[in-house]
Amino acid sequence: MTVKGIVLAGGTGTRLHPVTLSMSKQLVPVYNKPMIYYPLSVLMLAGIREILIVTTLEDITGFRRLLGDGGQWGLRLSYAIQSAPRGIADALIVGADHVDGEPVALVLGDNIFHGPGMSRLLRRAVAELTGAVLFGYPVADPQRYGIAEVDADGVLRGLVEKPAEPTSNLAVTGLYLYDGRAVDMALRLTPSARGELEITDLNRLYLELGEARVVNLGRGFAWLDAGTHESLLAASEYVRTLEERQGIRIACLEEIALRMGFISAADCYRLGEQLGRTAYGRYVMDVASAVQRAGLREVVR
């Protein structure tokens, strides 16, 4: 099954002012790599290689400079402009030509996902995709999130935005899988009072058809939103701690591309060399050398 990818990297990043007065939020570093590497890595782990970056006119040059056409990672990246913040679901309409009636994975550019078996979980969800697949994560403060209401068997029964009296603590994260009807269904949505096309309204359309389900990421996974100063710092500390203790790199696009079979070990090594005398560059070269010696093609965690 061919699934297209979209990263929504638009908006004005007002919660991160003054940092984002001169640059996109998704270009701000989370520890040792740009924020956009993290959602890109999620799509790559799902096996998705055709990806659209939806951003603003002011920021598109920065993304092109950073990511290029994605060929260095075995990807096919393209770009589209969202002229104003019109909601998450609007990204599907902006990317209609890119999606071209195919299933699509939409991920928010400031969301970070990490956990054991992430690639297997995502590829299984893609392979079994019908309707809409949402990804839920248990939170301590469900009043702040869009919440998935599930019954005793875990079946999705309702979606509620920031409930005053929540009946569930399962927050809907910023990662969504949709079948080939997503764009047409997004075009049917009525803008909210803020003039935005709400992603919850799109998910409810699928739910009303009985074609929406939720995958509970649960224990062992981390879901972080790096959209505020506090959460950006927390995300950076999370990444730093894991990388230093385990000797790995989270959202290392070069390593993921290699282990997913998108590029060769020789290509990966050259990418590491181009990063100069940095710890990140040395890590990429070490991974490439180890894979070349062992002949491995193991999907990353």
Side-chain angles (χ1 to χ4, degrees):
M1 177 189 298
T2 299
V3 177
K4 304 291 181 65
I6 296 178
V7 179
L8 179 53
T12 56
T14 53
R15 293 185 299 166
L16 281 174
H17 282 177
V19 175
T20 50
L21 287 173
S22 62
M23 65 186 301
S24 167
K25 170 175 62 176
Q26 289 80 16
L27 294 175
V28 171
V30 176
Y31 185 44
N32 56 4
K33 60 191 75 71
M35 188 186 296
I36 197 170
Y37 272 38
Y38 296 87
L40 270 177
S41 74
V42 171
L43 297 181
M44 292 172 68
L45 287 169
I48 297 169
R49 302 175 71 173
E50 294 184 52
I51 301 170
L52 177 71
I53 311 297
V54 175
T55 185
T56 66
L57 179 62
E58 294 78 14
D59 295 321
I60 194 168
T61 300
F63 285 108
R64 288 186 185 275
R65 184 182 302 116
L66 173 68
L67 306 173
D69 64 4
Q72 67 273 32
W73 302 304
L75 306 178
R76 292 181 292 277
L77 298 182
S78 54
Y79 302 85
I81 293 172
Q82 187 182 47
S83 57
R86 290 191 296 268
I88 298 172
D90 181 66
L92 293 165
I93 298 173
V94 172
D97 290 341
H98 167 74
V99 175
D100 195 26
E102 300 280 359
V104 60
L106 171 62
V107 61
L108 302 188
D110 61 0
N111 274 215
I112 297 170
F113 297 85
H114 179 254
M118 189 76 185
S119 182
R120 290 190 297 273
L121 181 149
L122 293 172
R123 287 182 289 125
R124 186 183 309 117
V126 166
E128 299 172 354
L129 176 59
T130 57
V133 178
L134 314 179
F135 293 84
Y137 189 80
V139 295
D141 46 355
Q143 298 88 349
R144 296 179 51 227
Y145 299 92
I147 294 298
E149 297 180 330
V150 296
D151 63 18
D153 297 319
V155 177
L156 182 62
R157 297 302 184 191
L159 295 165
V160 184
E161 274 297 318
K162 299 179 180 179
E165 298 181 2
T167 59
S168 164
N169 71 335
L170 195 61
V172 178
T173 70
L175 174 62
Y176 317 89
L177 295 179
Y178 299 109
D179 64 14
R181 297 171 293 172
V183 173
D184 289 339
M185 294 179 75
L187 286 167
R188 292 166 47 190
L189 299 177
T190 300
S192 67
R194 297 182 299 174
E196 298 183 357
L197 299 182
E198 303 289 350
I199 198 69
T200 300
D201 290 340
L202 175 62
N203 295 335
R204 285 195 184 111
L205 288 181
Y206 276 99
L207 181 59
E208 289 167 4
L209 295 172
E211 298 181 33
R213 68 184 184 93
V214 61
V215 174
N216 188 344
L217 295 178
R219 290 189 177 186
F221 283 87
W223 169 53
L224 303 168
D225 173 350
T228 68
H229 297 289
E230 295 79 12
S231 60
L232 179 62
L233 179 60
S236 295
E237 282 297 309
Y238 173 84
V239 173
R240 182 188 67 83
T241 300
L242 278 185
E243 291 192 351
E244 289 186 357
R245 290 187 179 180
Q246 299 184 4
I248 61 171
R249 291 291 181 269
I250 297 172
C252 176
L253 302 188
E254 295 81 6
E255 179 180 12
I256 295 173
L258 171 60
R259 297 198 186 275
M260 293 295 289
F262 299 169
I263 61 175
S264 69
D267 292 333
C268 185
Y269 191 91
R270 282 192 292 271
L271 291 175
E273 283 185 314
Q274 292 167 12
L275 293 169
R277 296 181 179 181
T278 64
Y280 187 96
R282 289 194 300 272
Y283 175 83
V284 171
M285 288 187 284
D286 288 346
V287 166
S289 297
V291 168
Q292 198 161 35
R293 286 195 302 269
L296 297 175
R297 271 296 181 270
E298 173 191 336
V299 174
V300 291
R301 293 177 291 276

